[in-house]
Amino acid sequence: MIAKLDEIFKTFQNEIKNIEKMPDLMQLKSRYLGKTGELSGILKGLKDATPEERQSIGAKSNQFKRQMEDMVVDRIQEIELAQINESLEAKRIDISLRDSLLEKGMDKAGLHPVSTIQREIEDIFLNMGFEILDGPHIEDEYHNFEALNIPEDHPARDMQDTFWFEREGENRHLLRTHTSSIQVHGMKKHKPPFKFVGPGKVFRCERTDASHEMCFHQLEGMMVGENISVANLIYFMKTLLSEIFKKEVEVRLRPGFFPFVEPGFELDIRCLICGGDGCSVCKQSGWVELLPCGMVHPNVLKHGEVDTTKYNGFAFGLGLDRLVMMKYGIDDIRHLHGGDLRFVSQFANY
Ligand code: FA5
């Protein structure tokens, strides 16, 4: 029986070496170590053996059993490692791929037109001494609404349909509906006088059409100092538009209501898609809302810990996507974010 045990162990050792796949290994394990396996067969035969034989065979078979179990565990690890290596090899990034892309003429990458215009505007404002600030996409009620003079239950909250995060209680979180929240961060960060712009994505739960997206881009601007006037605001807005369009564009200023500015204005641009005749972008009005602005409301300055007896300021919120549409004559905002490379590559300056 001892010889038989040795033989079983030897053939097990030989077989397990050649096993490459997990199901085969499990089969081998049950063939040798299972309830009806080879080792159990030996142990069952012990009933006819002498007590001494039983003891020595029992001890040896237990020792083999343990060794075989250890070998199975080791082999499992080896097979798993081989599988991981195999899949890593299959998914390996081929850094020489560029050559094949080159052959297909796909070697170029460029900026999205919204990014290009954002950078152009940042440069214009940097040259005028403004700083560039960033703010989080996920905001709380305080920064998006309350500190901007839009308390809870204020009807102005309905002007911007909001994506809320599911959580009850005070100061709930949301996806910022406008870059005006950057005003609040900026005021907390600086002592007046200061001036900054803050570009970024904003989110609104609204139905899309030729001029409305759910996720679009704004660029906020804020200037706070002594004796800032509407004339200063108009100067900066005019400089911005003439630098962007590199030509005279017709604009109109009309009263606009935003709780965080007083007085507030809507700066509209004559629709460059239809030349003012009326189209789906300007909703047949001939004008496109582009640049709401106004003098910062004292309540907002107070939230920013600005001394309102000494300082005042202006703010504006430029819609970047619509600006791109006007600049390049794009008749539907959805082209901009549809992910069609054939469309966006027309605007990339490689
Ligand atoms: C605001 O978001 C204010 N925070 C702007 C502001 C800042 C006013 C500072 C005063 C002082 P409004 O909701 O109008 O305002 O949006 C500003 C601009 O974003 C619009 O003029 C338009 O160009 C653009 N815009 C608004 N909604 C959309 C939309 N759904 N899709 C694309 N662009 C949009």
Side-chain angles (χ1 to χ4, degrees):
M1 263 189 178
I2 293 275
K4 175 92 175 130
L5 259 182
D6 282 336
E7 188 168 329
I8 291 174
F9 186 63
K10 226 178 182 165
T11 38
F12 176 85
Q13 275 180 310
N14 282 336
E15 282 190 47
I16 197 166
K17 265 195 296 200
N18 296 322
I19 282 190
E20 309 265 326
K21 298 210 163 67
M22 207 61 93
D24 298 342
L25 182 64
M26 292 303 118
Q27 231 176 33
L28 180 89
K29 186 182 170 198
S30 90
R31 186 146 54 81
Y32 282 88
L33 299 166
K35 270 193 192 134
T36 54
E38 302 260 4
L39 268 190
S40 307
I42 295 272
L43 292 173
K44 272 179 203 146
L46 276 183
K47 58 182 183 325
D48 304 324
T50 63
E52 294 78 36
E53 275 177 329
R54 245 184 249 172
Q55 205 181 17
S56 64
I57 294 170
K60 188 130 195 157
S61 73
N62 273 336
Q63 180 206 333
F64 279 163
K65 190 171 178 231
R66 270 198 303 276
Q67 279 179 283
M68 287 154 96
E69 280 168 350
D70 286 349
M71 286 161 78
V72 169
V73 171
D74 287 349
R75 196 76 194 116
I76 287 177
Q77 283 174 356
E78 284 164 9
I79 291 175
E80 279 177 351
L81 188 67
Q83 280 172 346
I84 291 170
N85 283 337
E86 202 176 302
S87 87
L88 282 178
E89 184 65 23
K91 290 179 195 154
R92 198 159 63 99
I93 295 170
D94 183 357
I95 54 167
S96 64
L97 198 62
R98 193 180 170 279
D99 284 345
S100 63
L101 288 178
L102 203 70
E103 282 159 23
K104 291 182 201 148
M106 288 169 64
D107 59 316
K108 294 168 183 156
L111 287 177
H112 189 278
V114 172
S115 306
T116 306
I117 217 149
Q118 180 183 318
R119 289 181 186 200
E120 275 175 34
I121 299 172
E122 285 174 5
D123 281 346
I124 294 168
F125 280 102
L126 278 174
N127 285 336
M128 295 194 287
F130 283 67
E131 193 191 337
I132 296 169
L133 292 187
D134 201 4
H137 291 166
I138 298 177
E139 275 293 6
D140 51 23
E141 273 180 288
Y142 175 76
H143 287 85
N144 199 82
F145 291 126
E146 248 168 76
L148 291 164
N149 200 29
I150 319 175
E152 198 164 6
D153 302 329
H154 193 292
R157 284 209 184 184
D158 298 336
M159 283 163 69
Q160 300 175 353
D161 290 315
T162 308
F163 287 111
W164 292 97
F165 284 85
E166 260 182 41
R167 206 190 60 160
E168 299 300 322
E170 283 181 13
N171 208 13
R172 290 176 298 161
H173 283 83
L174 49 90
L175 288 176
R176 73 176 174 200
T177 56
H178 52 180
T179 45
S180 297
S181 52
I182 300 178
Q183 287 187 30
V184 186
H185 293 289
M187 284 189 295
K188 296 252 154 102
K189 211 175 146 202
H190 291 94
K191 292 259 160 290
F194 55 77
K195 47 186 189 291
F196 58 80
V197 291
K201 281 193 167 64
V202 298
F203 309 85
R204 291 188 198 171
C205 184
E206 25 181 270
R207 189 193 284 265
T208 59
D209 62 26
S211 57
H212 289 84
E213 263 291 1
M214 287 201 273
C215 169
F216 56 101
H217 302 77
Q218 289 184 340
L219 182 131
E220 196 75 11
M222 186 178 213
M223 177 171 187
V224 170
E226 286 180 55
N227 302 319
I228 307 279
S229 68
V230 175
N232 296 126
L233 167 63
I234 292 173
Y235 165 78
F236 280 106
M237 299 305 95
K238 273 194 161 168
T239 311
L240 167 67
L241 292 175
S242 64
E243 294 248 3
I244 295 277
F245 288 103
K246 309 254 184 303
K247 64 173 181 187
E248 274 293 302
V249 284
E250 209 181 326
V251 295
R252 72 175 185 192
L253 202 61
R254 59 190 167 92
F257 171 70
F258 302 93
F260 31 96
V261 283
E262 181 56 41
F265 308 103
E266 285 281 6
L267 194 147
D268 301 336
I269 174 173
R270 175 71 83 185
C271 182
L272 296 175
I273 307 291
C274 61
D277 293 342
C279 66
S280 59
V281 174
C282 62
K283 304 234 162 55
Q284 314 305 328
S285 71
W287 295 94
V288 176
E289 274 180 22
L290 196 67
L291 221 170
C293 50
M295 302 305 290
V296 184
H297 196 290
N299 287 352
V300 175
L301 293 174
K302 280 179 197 150
H303 274 289
E305 285 150 33
V306 173
D307 178 357
T308 50
T309 60
K310 201 167 167 203
Y311 300 107
N312 69 340
F314 68 72
F316 60 90
L318 176 65
L320 290 183
D321 309 70
R322 291 200 192 154
L323 190 61
V324 171
M325 291 170 74
M326 289 300 111
K327 185 163 174 177
Y328 296 111
I330 299 166
D331 63 1
D332 196 316
I333 192 170
R334 289 165 292 198
H335 290 313
L336 282 174
H337 306 295
D340 188 338
L341 282 181
R342 288 168 308 176
F343 177 80
V344 283
S345 61
Q346 299 174 72
F347 307 96
N349 30 16
Y350 300 125

